Amino acid sequence: MATRTARPDRTTARKTAAAPADTEPPVTAPTDTAPTGGAPRNGALSELHLHGLGSIDDVTLELGPGLTVVTGETGAGKTMVVTGLTLLFGGRADQGRVRAGVRAGVEGRLVLPSDSPVWARAAEAGAEPDEDGSLILARTFSADGRSRAHLGGRSVPVGVVSELAEQLVAVHGQTDQLRLTRPAEQRRALDRYAGPAHMGLLEQHRTAHAAWRALAEDLDRRRSQARELVQTADVLRHGLEEIAAVAPEEGEDDALDAQARRLGDADALRSAADTARFALVGDVTGELGGGGDAESDASTALAVAERALGGSDDPALVLLARDLADAVAVVSDVAVQLAGYVADLDADPARLAEVLDRRAVITALVRKYADAGEGLAGVLAWAADAESRLSELDVSDEALEALQAQRDAARTELDALSAQVTAGRRAAADGFAAEVGTELAGLAMKNAKVSFQIDSDPAHPGPEGVDEVVLLMSPHPGAPARPVHKGASGGELSRVMLAIEVVFAGADPVPVMVFDEVDAGVGGSAAGEIGRRLARLAAEHQVVVVTHLAQVAAFADTHLVVDKSPDTAHGVTATDIRAVRGEDRVRELARMLSGLADSDTGQAHARELLAVAAERQ
């Protein structure tokens, strides 16, 4: 049902969707699917909440399994339901849809089986199931166009939601009809119908085409720019020879800098080390030339203190004496290391000059071949890049012949794949046309015949193959087959496109399917057939349909009516959405049929539609 008030757990649901992430690890899919009252096996959207969107102030829709229809007067805001679903699943936000002075939001509760692939991706994003095992998805929008998305209580990029949408919802609308009138889209539809193996072959073709084009363009470039490439290659070779003559090693510039500093400051460093060693242990070897008081060094003073405390009977002083003994050992160890440092210190002026000369040569390379701040690493990177570029600049006869052979081999492989792609399309064309024709026969176009015209041009392969694909239709026997967008009237085109959608939709694994007024321009018995086909889809999917046809609405499991009325308290027009049953539903169908909800004739016709729909499902 639909209502302006929230369900008891609505506050909890909102908090779950928008609360900051905690520190607990994400929870994987629940072991048992939440109860849905017969939800489709792939899952369903059990609840949709819209706030501040267009003329909708605050509405919560409880969506059941099967077929849900949304009806209402023209301009009442029926399409806002579809707009809300599109935004919820990552669609682009239009700031014009946000009511002034409010922050709009859309929130949905998804009930998914435990083996749904959506759970794995949601867990990667840090999402968690709600208390009842459902997955909460939410988006909020501000008037300046900015939006935020939340999935299972975690803030996520909108791109994550869009990625999940491919596995959750398929929207079929009038925009899709216009799209399918384009030959390129008709070719994609045929490829999709041909099946996964064909789509995998087509992907191989795209890869092979890219490889062939790269080789062909490289060969053309080398032939047309031979002089420039030779000159560039000479510059690169000269640079490589200059760098090879120096033969720098990685990190050598830093090592030379450190060595030069030590050699240049050898006397000062030796003096500092000797002074420190004398202070620690005195001139015990006479190497330091000292004649100072032997009792003044740190080692001797610590030893005296350690002996003084060690002779005490007080346990506390004995413990401190042990600490002093450790300190004496540390001081002695540092003194030994200082002696080794001084022994290794080189003050050779000749070695210093050698280091400075080497550093100057490397600095010259750095200035010539490296960008600012890169140092010797930039020189080595330039050399590696130059080596790689030289292989691409070779315009010798041998190199060009080898490249041509690679190009020709790639073209041979591409041609073979193109032939397989064409064969797959031709094999699928008859089956696709036959299924669409079967659907059209049930849509009051039993004499119409559709077919595919496939024109191949093997001399000019493209990423998608060598075929131009056009969907043709002959509306009745004897009529010439013409491109469907030229040979069909508005109502016929709607039925053809709906037939194509139905052919695809039956095999679509997404749990939620939305049809937005795809029955435009259709009436009479064809309208009833559209309703029957949508109801048939609803046996395997949750189907939401925005319609103006009573013949379609009569097949619904759930019937939602959009009403628009002035909100005198706020001076705006507000939209409410309510579920209708029983006599209320009869009145709505009568309004759709005759424009008069209280018409006895209209209500009688409405009851007849409901009875016929119940028999035909």
Side-chain angles (χ1 to χ4, degrees):
M1 61 177 293
T3 177
R4 283 182 179 272
T5 60
R7 295 196 324 172
D9 64 341
R10 167 50 53 191
T11 302
T12 302
R14 272 191 207 137
K15 288 182 179 179
T16 302
D22 55 29
T23 57
E24 296 181 0
V27 179
T28 56
T31 55
D32 296 312
T33 304
T36 63
R41 64 186 181 190
N42 292 326
L45 182 67
S46 66
E47 190 175 85
L48 180 67
H49 177 252
L50 307 174
H51 172 71
L53 198 62
S55 58
I56 295 177
D57 179 23
D58 190 85
V59 171
T60 298
L61 310 178
E62 293 184 13
L63 304 174
L67 176 61
T68 297
V69 299
V70 181
T71 66
E73 295 282 2
T74 300
K78 298 187 297 295
T79 58
M80 290 308 299
V81 176
V82 178
T83 299
L85 284 168
T86 303
L87 293 174
L88 180 64
F89 289 103
R92 185 173 181 180
D94 180 1
Q95 63 189 71
R97 299 286 190 182
V98 179
R99 297 184 68 171
V102 302
R103 185 171 181 83
V106 186
E107 184 176 305
R109 181 185 295 273
L110 287 159
V111 179
L112 302 169
S114 58
D115 60 352
S116 171
V118 172
W119 284 117
R121 184 65 184 93
E124 290 177 9
E128 300 178 359
D130 199 27
E131 294 177 355
D132 63 355
S134 61
L135 181 64
I136 304 297
L137 179 61
R139 271 187 87 187
T140 56
F141 315 90
S142 59
D144 60 5
R146 289 181 294 182
S147 71
R148 296 183 63 188
H150 291 83
L151 180 67
R154 303 297 175 97
S155 178
V156 297
V158 175
V160 172
V161 177
S162 299
E163 180 183 341
L164 290 178
E166 296 179 4
Q167 305 176 62
L168 290 172
V169 65
V171 179
H172 306 272
Q174 296 183 51
T175 300
D176 298 277
Q177 293 183 14
L178 294 174
R179 174 175 53 81
L180 283 170
T181 62
R182 304 167 190 160
E185 293 296 336
Q186 293 169 8
R187 182 179 61 201
R188 291 190 183 97
L190 180 58
D191 287 333
R192 179 181 168 194
Y193 177 84
H198 176 81
M199 294 298 290
L201 183 66
L202 186 57
E203 185 59 35
Q204 293 180 43
H205 185 280
R206 295 189 187 103
T207 302
H209 180 271
W212 168 69
R213 285 301 310 158
L215 289 168
E217 290 171 1
D218 190 15
L219 181 60
D220 291 343
R221 178 181 62 87
R222 295 196 197 193
R223 285 174 172 171
S224 63
Q225 302 176 14
R227 177 186 295 180
E228 294 86 346
L229 295 180
V230 168
Q231 292 174 348
T232 302
D234 286 343
V235 172
L236 294 178
R237 289 193 190 94
H238 174 75
L240 288 172
E241 291 170 358
E242 187 175 2
I243 295 172
V246 176
E249 298 180 1
E250 184 176 356
E252 185 179 358
D253 51 347
D254 294 333
L256 289 172
D257 287 342
Q259 193 172 6
R261 283 193 299 270
R262 291 187 64 185
L263 288 169
D265 298 337
D267 292 338
L269 294 173
R270 180 181 289 105
S271 176
D274 285 341
T275 299
R277 186 156 64 101
F278 182 80
L280 293 175
V281 297
D283 188 7
V284 295
T285 62
E287 297 175 356
L288 302 180
D293 186 357
E295 299 293 332
S296 65
D297 62 86
S299 179
T300 300
L302 289 171
V304 171
E306 186 265 333
R307 287 193 298 271
L309 297 179
S312 171
D313 294 333
D314 189 328
L317 294 182
V318 172
L319 289 175
L320 291 174
R322 293 176 182 174
D323 291 340
L324 286 175
D326 292 338
V328 171
V330 171
V331 167
S332 299
D333 182 60
V334 172
V336 170
Q337 293 185 51
L338 287 172
Y341 176 84
V342 171
D344 293 338
L345 202 58
D346 190 356
D348 184 358
R351 175 57 184 161
L352 176 60
E354 181 182 336
V355 169
L356 294 176
D357 289 344
R358 176 68 176 174
R359 189 171 66 172
V361 172
I362 290 180
T363 299
L365 290 179
V366 170
R367 289 173 179 170
K368 192 171 184 178
Y369 296 106
D371 292 333
E374 289 185 340
L376 181 58
V379 175
L380 299 176
W382 184 93
D385 181 65
E387 290 281 5
S388 176
R389 290 180 61 194
L390 273 177
S391 64
E392 301 172 358
L393 299 175
D394 191 350
V395 292
S396 65
D397 292 342
E398 295 80 2
L400 294 180
E401 289 175 1
L403 185 57
Q404 181 174 333
Q406 293 178 44
R407 181 205 62 181
D408 294 343
R411 178 57 185 267
T412 299
E413 178 185 359
L414 179 63
D415 288 343
L417 289 170
S418 296
Q420 294 178 59
V421 169
T422 298
R425 286 170 176 160
R426 294 187 184 278
D430 291 342
F432 190 15
E435 288 199 37
V436 173
T438 299
E439 294 297 330
L440 288 177
L443 294 172
M445 291 181 66
K446 63 181 180 180
N447 293 322
K449 181 179 179 181
V450 295
S451 60
F452 280 97
Q453 176 180 307
I454 302 177
D455 297 323
S456 303
D457 183 7
H460 299 91
E464 306 300 314
V466 297
D467 308 315
E468 290 292 333
V469 176
V470 180
L471 180 63
L472 306 177
M473 189 190 80
S474 173
H476 52 80
R482 301 182 61 195
V484 67
H485 61 287
K486 295 180 180 180
S489 65
E492 289 173 335
L493 181 60
S494 293
R495 279 177 276 179
V496 171
M497 295 309 161
L498 178 59
I500 292 175
E501 294 289 358
V502 170
V503 168
F504 279 133
D508 202 326
V510 298
V512 183
M513 307 193 72
V514 182
F515 292 85
D516 182 16
E517 295 193 357
V518 292
D519 49 16
V522 180
S525 61
E529 289 298 326
I530 290 175
R532 186 169 68 87
R533 278 159 173 73
L534 292 173
R536 189 175 68 197
L537 287 177
E540 295 291 332
H541 305 266
Q542 182 184 41
V543 179
V544 180
V545 180
V546 176
T547 182
H548 66 284
L549 295 177
Q551 296 93 325
V552 173
F555 284 86
D557 299 299
T558 303
H559 190 156
L560 303 177
V561 178
V562 180
D563 292 321
K564 181 179 286 187
S565 60
D567 186 340
T568 56
H570 298 87
V572 296
T573 299
T575 291
D576 189 19
I577 304 178
R578 57 190 174 87
V580 292
R581 301 180 182 84
E583 289 302 309
D584 286 340
R585 188 180 182 196
V586 170
R587 287 169 53 83
E588 172 61 12
L589 291 176
R591 181 201 64 77
M592 297 174 70
L593 288 165
S594 65
L596 300 173
D598 296 323
S599 166
D600 291 339
T601 302
Q603 290 187 13
H605 191 183
R607 290 188 177 91
E608 183 179 1
L609 279 179
L610 289 171
V612 170
E615 293 175 358
R616 296 174 65 183
Q617 289 193 59

